[in-house]
Amino acid sequence: MTAKATELKLDIGRIGTVSAILMQPDNARGCYVLAHGAGTDMRHASMEKIAIGLAERGIATFRFNFPYTENKQGRPDQPAVAHATVRAAVEEAARLCPGLKLVAGGKSFGGRMTSQAQSKAALPGVKGLAFLGFPLHADKKPSTERAEHLAGVAIPMLFLQGTRDGLADLGLLRPVVAALGARATLHEIEGGDHSFAVLKRSGRTNEEALSEVLDTLASWIDDLA
């Protein structure tokens, strides 16, 4: 399957503009608005692999920078700025991909900012949220406060989580997801860390673990009403 990558500029109103990339395969079945993690940007190798892998599975992606990465600032944006950026990205993806099933989320910080935005006011047209490693807490500081806003999300959610993820103690995350009821699904990547990397002794490669992530995500998108 061939996929076309289009470089774009995303307007966030008074906040300014950021770079974005739409990767759209032929006969796409859906589009995933894919936000990057706190320490990376939309061009990071991991984001590129995710976009290419989803294109191979018939899912378009709309990647974008948050303003702080666009402007090469170290500290992540304030939540209000991040939420506005996510909202602008969703609206642009919907405009560019009419008729495609629209989902949103992303890696770590990007996924959390997306869910926060959704909890404050529904992202228009978005059918579900998918988290590629939800950052439940800071490293070695187990807590669940970062998940409290998820109770305000009324659409389906998919949590793709490595069992070695230092930012999501599964002993805490499992009951959080269970409390959200039927709208939330947790898929654990055995041996995966926060980036789904696995140890050599696990008997499988990082590529195989990522394939499990992307297969699960594509199937979940297909099953959304």
Side-chain angles (χ1 to χ4, degrees), residues 179-222:
L180 294 169
R183 67 186 185 278
T185 302
L186 172 61
H187 182 94
E188 298 176 18
I189 307 300
E190 184 59 41
D193 66 8
H194 190 58
S195 299
F196 307 117
V198 292
L199 298 172
K200 286 185 178 179
R201 67 170 182 266
S202 70
R204 65 173 177 166
T205 64
N206 291 343
E207 287 71 24
E208 288 168 337
L210 182 59
S211 287
E212 180 184 343
V213 170
L214 300 181
D215 286 345
T216 303
L217 175 54
S219 177
W220 179 81
I221 292 172
D222 286 340

Side-chain angles (χ1 to χ4, degrees), residues 40 44 46 50 107-108 132-133 161-162 164-167 189 191-198 206 209-210 213:
T40 64
H44 190 269
S46 63
I50 290 165
K107 274 295 300 165
S108 197
L132 306 178
Q161 217 76 35
R164 292 191 304 118
D165 190 339
L167 277 63
I189 307 300
D193 66 8
H194 190 58
S195 299
F196 307 117
V198 292
N206 291 343
L210 182 59
V213 170

Side-chain angles (χ1 to χ4, degrees):
M1 179 178 289
T2 58
K4 180 183 178 184
T6 306
E7 298 264 351
L8 303 160
K9 286 294 184 182
L10 176 65
D11 183 10
I12 322 170
R14 289 174 295 176
I15 295 169
T17 60
V18 294
S19 302
I21 302 172
L22 173 67
M23 184 171 284
Q24 189 164 7
D26 299 335
N27 303 315
R29 304 187 306 280
C31 179
Y32 182 36
V33 181
L34 172 59
H36 63 74
T40 64
D41 63 16
M42 70 169 185
R43 298 184 190 279
H44 190 269
S46 63
M47 296 287 284
E48 183 79 8
K49 282 183 181 178
I50 290 165
I52 291 171
L54 286 173
E56 290 169 349
R57 291 161 174 82
I59 305 297
T61 51
F62 186 88
R63 285 179 282 160
F64 58 95
N65 279 339
F66 286 104
Y68 78 98
T69 47
E70 184 76 10
N71 299 317
K72 296 181 169 51
Q73 297 167 339
R75 185 183 295 251
D77 299 307
Q78 290 295 315
V81 172
H83 300 165
T85 307
V86 168
R87 201 167 294 280
V90 164
E91 291 171 359
E92 185 67 358
R95 187 183 72 81
L96 293 171
C97 301
L100 293 188
K101 192 180 295 184
L102 194 63
V103 297
K107 274 295 300 165
S108 197
F109 167 83
R112 184 164 69 98
M113 292 300 105
T114 302
S115 59
Q116 286 182 358
Q118 173 71 28
S119 73
K120 289 180 177 299
L123 296 165
V126 170
K127 302 295 187 185
L129 302 182
F131 308 111
L132 306 178
F134 187 84
L136 185 61
H137 50 73
D139 193 29
K140 298 182 177 65
K141 295 182 179 179
S143 66
T144 59
E145 284 83 358
R146 287 183 178 180
E148 289 173 356
H149 71 278
L150 296 174
V153 175
I155 57 177
M157 290 171 274
L158 174 65
F159 295 79
L160 290 151
Q161 217 76 35
T163 60
R164 292 191 304 118
D165 190 339
L167 277 63
D169 182 327
L170 285 173
L172 296 176
L173 184 62
R174 288 173 185 140
V176 163
V177 173
L180 294 169
R183 67 186 185 278
T185 302
L186 172 61
H187 182 94
E188 298 176 18
I189 307 300
E190 184 59 41
D193 66 8
H194 190 58
S195 299
F196 307 117
V198 292
L199 298 172
K200 286 185 178 179
R201 67 170 182 266
S202 70
R204 65 173 177 166
T205 64
N206 291 343
E207 287 71 24
E208 288 168 337
L210 182 59
S211 287
E212 180 184 343
V213 170
L214 300 181
D215 286 345
T216 303
L217 175 54
S219 177
W220 179 81
I221 292 172
D222 286 340
D223 289 343
L224 286 174

